[in-house]
Amino acid sequence: MSTLKIAIQKSGRLNEDSIQILKDCGISINNGNDQLKASASNFPLEVLYLRNSDIPQYLIDGVVDAAIVGDNLLVEKGKNIEVAEKLGFSKCKVSVAVPKNFEYNSLKDLDGLRIATSYPNTVLDFFNSKNVTVDLHQISGSVEIAPNIGLADAIVDIVSSGSTLFKNNLKEVEVIFKSEAVLAVSPKITTENKAILNKLQFRIQSVLRARKSKYILMNVPNDKIELINEILPVLKSPTVMPLAQEGWSSVHTVIEEDRFWDVIDQLKEAGAEGILVCPIEKMVL
């Protein structure tokens, strides 16, 4: 039987989140410390632990069939690689930052200046599209210290919380694009392995839907059920079951996380009581 080879980052937060989503998909990975690859015991999957910057080339060459990788890396090194699924974690921005005392009004203020970055292709494409010429300095690691040591006038780097910029006396002035972890697919994946990938993707989609949703149960007076139904943003119609107390029913449904509190407030105002909220492990449609 064929085995799907998937690459994930060797270490760091993206590694942890990647392993977690595979576990949430019910995939048991027999990995030990310092292993470069590991097989799943209950799914035709082999995980390769690689340096993050090497993953796009492994996809292009067909050494791996798929990867969980930040799409910022695909923009830099693998523009033609297909993204099968956005995964919603490891979110960040690729941004332009300058010293706090830099009087910045627009990108034209950086024309002719030195830009330090680990993303040379991304930077050149961006500034060329804006008709701004920059003196590119490609470095790896600790990009944020470049202005402080006189190596560059500004930087382009990944920004998450912004704390690293703050510590290095920098400010974010432009967001080139927003990034998150994605499931990327090799252009050389075989038909057989694409079928396995589709099964994995189906599981991932079920997990992602569950992460974005809450299951709620509430007690509702029967004369308020129609009003409650109008409030609920449900997949189909809610489940309504009569309670032992006459004139009342239990209403069950699913609410999206980003609308949760607004909906809960409306439900309370409409007469719902005893609202119980439960996490959802999987959500298969």
Side-chain angles (χ1 to χ4, degrees):
M1 183 178 181
S2 184
T3 300
L4 182 75
K5 293 183 179 180
I6 185 169
I8 67 172
Q9 185 174 301
K10 189 175 182 180
S11 60
R13 180 63 183 274
L14 184 53
N15 167 276
E16 296 169 7
D17 289 340
S18 300
I19 292 294
Q20 186 61 53
I21 198 168
L22 292 176
K23 287 182 177 179
D24 289 346
C25 288
I27 297 173
S28 178
I29 302 167
N30 303 316
N31 62 311
N33 293 332
D34 301 322
Q35 279 188 313
L36 296 179
K37 65 179 181 178
S39 298
S41 60
N42 57 352
F43 192 82
L45 181 76
E46 184 177 67
V47 177
L48 277 69
Y49 301 96
L50 304 174
R51 276 199 322 177
N52 201 37
S53 59
D54 292 338
I55 290 177
Q57 194 60 51
Y58 276 74
L59 286 166
I60 293 169
D61 293 342
V63 176
V64 296
D65 302 302
I68 297 176
V69 64
D71 60 356
N72 59 292
L73 201 59
L74 298 184
V75 170
E76 175 64 23
K77 294 187 173 185
K79 287 185 178 179
N80 296 323
I81 294 173
E82 176 192 352
V83 172
E85 194 78 36
K86 292 190 174 185
L87 302 177
F89 56 82
S90 295
K91 291 186 176 182
C92 63
K93 298 172 286 184
V94 177
S95 300
V96 182
V98 299
K100 288 182 179 178
N101 60 4
F102 189 105
E103 294 185 10
Y104 182 88
N105 297 298
S106 71
L107 282 173
K108 286 294 183 184
D109 294 332
L110 300 178
D111 197 32
L113 298 186
R114 300 166 299 167
I115 307 291
T117 187
S118 300
Y119 299 91
N121 296 326
T122 301
V123 171
L124 288 178
D125 287 348
F126 174 71
F127 281 100
N128 287 341
S129 71
K130 303 297 183 181
N131 295 316
V132 176
T133 302
V134 296
D135 181 11
L136 186 67
H137 287 248
Q138 182 179 352
I139 58 178
S140 58
S142 303
V143 174
E144 65 277 355
I145 69 170
N148 292 329
I149 62 176
L151 180 62
D153 302 295
I155 68 167
V156 172
D157 202 11
I158 290 176
V159 177
S160 296
S161 65
S163 61
T164 301
L165 295 183
F166 180 81
K167 291 175 184 177
N168 286 276
N169 205 34
L170 300 173
K171 60 183 179 182
E172 182 184 57
V173 293
E174 297 283 346
V175 176
I176 297 179
F177 64 88
K178 295 181 179 180
S179 174
E180 64 182 276
V182 298
L183 178 65
V185 185
S186 169
K188 296 186 178 181
I189 189 171
T190 64
T191 301
E192 190 174 5
N193 282 359
K194 185 64 186 296
I196 299 172
L197 179 65
N198 289 341
K199 292 181 180 179
L200 174 62
Q201 188 177 356
F202 176 79
R203 294 192 185 192
I204 288 174
Q205 289 170 345
S206 299
V207 169
L208 294 179
R209 288 191 200 100
R211 288 181 179 181
K212 295 176 183 177
S213 305
K214 297 292 184 184
Y215 188 82
I216 66 168
L217 306 83
M218 71 198 88
N219 298 330
V220 179
N222 288 341
D223 61 355
K224 299 289 187 181
I225 289 177
E226 186 174 344
L227 176 59
I228 293 292
N229 284 349
E230 293 175 358
I231 296 170
L232 293 174
V234 295
L235 297 174
K236 290 185 178 178
S237 61
T239 300
V240 180
M241 297 182 291
L243 294 176
Q245 182 177 350
E246 188 173 347
W248 285 77
S249 293
S250 177
V251 177
H252 301 205
T253 191
V254 174
I255 298 180
E256 292 180 359
E257 182 80 50
D258 57 0
R259 300 183 60 187
F260 178 77
W261 288 112
D262 288 339
V263 173
I264 291 296
D265 289 340
Q266 294 178 55
L267 292 174
K268 289 184 64 178
E269 291 177 6
E273 298 180 6
I275 300 173
L276 180 64
V277 182
C278 305
I280 302 173
E281 184 176 327
K282 308 288 188 300
M283 192 167 165
V284 181
L285 299 181

